[in-house]
Amino acid sequence: MQYNPGWNSSSVNLLHVRAVGPNDTLHYVWSSIGAPAVLLVATDSQNSALHVNWTQLLSPSPAGALWIDPPSSVVYSTAVVFTKVFEYSEAKPLEEVFYPTYDLSEFSWDSINHTLNHTALTAELTGVPTTDPGSGFSNGTLTFRVTAYETHGRAGHLPNLLHTADSSQVEFVLAGVTPRGNSSHFALEVATVEETGVGQQLRSTRSIDDEYTPTIFEVLSLVAEAQNSSSVLSFLQWKAIAYGSQSPRREDNIQCRAQQLHVANWTLPRATIIQAYFGEGVGSTYTISAVNVSFGGEEGRVYQEKHYLSWSVLLGFGQPPTDTFSPLVISIMAVALGTPLAMLLLGSCLVLLAQRKRYSEYEPIN
Ligand SMILES: *[C@@H]1O[C@H](CO)[C@@H](O)[C@H](O)[C@H]1NC(C)=O
Ligand SMILES: *[C@@H]1O[C@H](CO)[C@@H](O)[C@H](O)[C@H]1NC(C)=O
Ligand SMILES: *[C@@H]1O[C@H](CO)[C@@H](O)[C@H](O)[C@H]1NC(C)=O
Ligand SMILES: *[C@@H]1O[C@H](CO)[C@@H](O)[C@H](O)[C@H]1NC(C)=O
Ligand SMILES: *[C@@H]1O[C@H](CO)[C@@H](O)[C@H](O)[C@H]1NC(C)=O
């Protein structure tokens, strides 16, 4: 992890996370210059390096200020931009009132330098709106908590998402923000940048119930697929749940839903590293898709009470990890199925024995 490589100031945030494999390197670049965004570049070289021309990056025309050397080593690039936070409230049944949008490109962000943990591989990007007429943020903050991983495993806190060494987790946290309505819900708008020939798909799968995320069965993934081979190139993956507490219990569950995916033709707000890497014409030469992830269902008064919302999402290269049966689930199944299974096995053994016996009664023809 490198903070602002080649730049001696902490007035802006750029975090470079480099993951080196036997024959390849993944580069994750997180930044809050403009809307908070992350760039993911996969290369087929162990020695590929990120270059930043800081004068150009901080100038009004940043195109070309961020590049990977050697350029021929780049096999795939993608980016995710966290664009806006919406707040809405149900005034009458089926009638929603929208409060002024929090545009994340108009936030001011603290330096992530003092939050960097090179052992745990974590960093926190915390910000507040530069102008806050409703003073919702007078005692609140919005944070993106980033975790990188060296191996595969499972996150240590709910929803205990699975991860691989090729992925990073980001936790979106709204803490202490005063809701502007009596039954405010929030939604986070997320946009992605893909090369042409790569399609975006929102998938929902049922997972098995396990002890890691009890009672939550739905896993959502926004996958980028190569259109000619339908191999998955990258993904965002999350469980359909957010939490209203730092140490959540079941009553702190906040329902999380993905709204419709808008594929292509989405207008990207200014997120400087995106223009710096993909060029100014990113909107016309790349495919921009966007989706709203909303928090709080009809049951949801959790935010009203707790003033805390946390949602975790995994971002990675290649196939998203999938749940398998955990040892606990296997042992429960073994106990539950044990008796009938034993009887079934015993039954088939008896049948086999009986058949064997019967067959042995036949005499060879010759
Ligand atoms: C790395 O590349 C070398 C040479 O191209 C190849 O022999 C080796 O199997 C590769 N290793 C992995 C883990 O892909
Ligand atoms: C950085 O960008 C500026 C402005 O485009 C340019 O004048 C300068 O030569 C660049 N520096 C390097 C090292 O490429
Ligand atoms: C501000 O936040 C703290 C901790 O989040 C809380 O204890 C306190 O009551 C809040 N104050 C106001 C005025 O909302
Ligand atoms: C919020 O609740 C209070 C008290 O329950 C009520 O007086 C007020 O009209 C409500 N405001 C809205 C916008 O629903
Ligand atoms: C998200 O919701 C807001 C408010 O309804 C809407 O203006 C915006 O277009 C939506 N974005 C997407 C990607 O659907």
Side-chain angles (χ1 to χ4, degrees):
M1 285 171 115
Q2 283 177 300
Y3 174 68
N4 289 356
W7 184 247
N8 240 339
S9 152
S10 53
S11 57
V12 294
N13 288 313
L14 187 143
L15 175 69
H16 178 212
V17 183
R18 208 163 137 261
V20 186
N23 282 342
D24 50 11
T25 307
L26 295 178
H27 299 269
Y28 282 89
V29 184
W30 301 85
S31 174
S32 62
I33 315 174
V38 53
L39 173 71
L40 164 56
V41 184
T43 67
D44 62 5
S45 156
Q46 264 196 316
N47 305 312
S48 63
L50 174 77
H51 290 269
V52 186
N53 180 335
W54 282 94
T55 343
Q56 200 178 350
L57 184 70
L58 301 177
S59 77
S61 50
L66 218 63
W67 72 99
I68 297 288
D69 218 19
S72 60
S73 68
V74 174
V75 293
Y76 172 68
S77 315
T78 183
V80 177
V81 187
F82 299 98
T83 51
K84 286 169 182 164
V85 171
F86 299 99
E87 181 182 348
Y88 54 99
S89 200
E90 206 161 89
K92 298 185 205 129
L94 303 175
E95 195 188 289
E96 278 165 352
V97 189
F98 278 83
Y99 297 98
T101 304
Y102 293 119
D103 185 339
L104 302 188
S105 64
E106 286 161 14
F107 268 46
S108 72
W109 303 92
D110 295 347
S111 164
I112 58 174
N113 200 13
H114 68 277
T115 69
L116 269 183
N117 183 329
H118 289 274
T119 318
L121 303 180
T122 56
E124 278 181 25
L125 192 59
T126 298
V128 295
T130 37
T131 55
D132 185 20
S135 46
F137 276 84
S138 56
N139 194 31
T141 52
L142 185 157
T143 299
F144 291 97
R145 195 172 289 146
V146 176
T147 310
Y149 299 107
E150 284 178 323
T151 57
H152 65 88
R154 194 182 283 278
H157 61 89
L158 282 168
N160 302 103
L161 291 182
L162 278 176
H163 57 77
T164 65
D166 293 344
S167 60
S168 296
Q169 180 176 290
V170 54
E171 187 186 351
F172 165 72
V173 181
L174 268 185
V177 178
T178 315
R180 290 170 286 183
N182 281 348
S183 59
S184 274
H185 297 182
F186 291 92
L188 174 66
E189 189 183 67
V190 181
T192 61
V193 181
E194 292 294 340
E195 294 161 359
T196 44
V198 176
Q200 282 279 19
Q201 261 187 43
L202 188 62
R203 291 181 187 162
S204 159
T205 49
R206 308 295 287 177
S207 73
I208 48 180
D209 193 17
D210 56 30
E211 73 265 38
Y212 303 108
T213 325
T215 72
I216 307 306
F217 296 95
E218 192 183 9
V219 178
L220 291 135
S221 340
L222 181 59
V223 296
E225 232 178 38
Q227 274 156 347
N228 55 8
S229 67
S230 48
S231 60
V232 174
L233 297 167
S234 68
F235 62 87
L236 285 172
Q237 187 183 55
W238 65 96
K239 291 211 172 185
I241 182 89
Y243 295 99
S245 162
Q246 267 171 300
S247 43
R249 289 161 304 159
R250 183 172 294 200
E251 56 269 35
D252 303 325
N253 285 5
I254 297 177
Q255 193 180 26
C256 158
R257 286 209 203 99
Q259 291 165 5
Q260 197 203 341
L261 175 69
H262 288 259
V263 179
N265 296 327
W266 196 258
T267 317
L268 203 61
R270 192 120 195 112
T272 304
I273 56 163
I274 306 296
Q275 282 80 20
Y277 182 80
F278 293 102
E280 282 299 333
V282 56
S284 53
T285 41
Y286 292 84
T287 309
I288 317 282
S289 308
V291 67
N292 278 339
V293 180
S294 65
F295 309 104
E298 46 290 342
E299 90 286 359
R301 289 206 148 255
V302 178
Y303 189 83
Q304 218 69 25
E305 284 171 27
K306 311 274 180 175
H307 287 198
Y308 188 88
L309 170 77
S310 144
W311 173 66
S312 298
V313 55
L314 190 74
L315 156 70
F317 178 64
Q319 289 277 353
T322 50
D323 261 316
T324 51
F325 290 102
S326 70
L328 180 67
V329 172
I330 290 173
S331 53
I332 291 171
M333 284 200 310
V335 171
L337 295 178
T339 319
L341 198 66
M343 289 175 76
L344 200 70
L345 282 174
L346 191 67
S348 34
C349 285
L350 287 177
V351 169
L352 277 177
L353 277 176
Q355 282 179 340
R356 215 176 247 175
K357 197 151 183 224
R358 206 167 61 223
Y359 289 139
S360 67
E361 279 164 8
Y362 290 98
E363 292 299 315
I365 294 175
N366 308 331

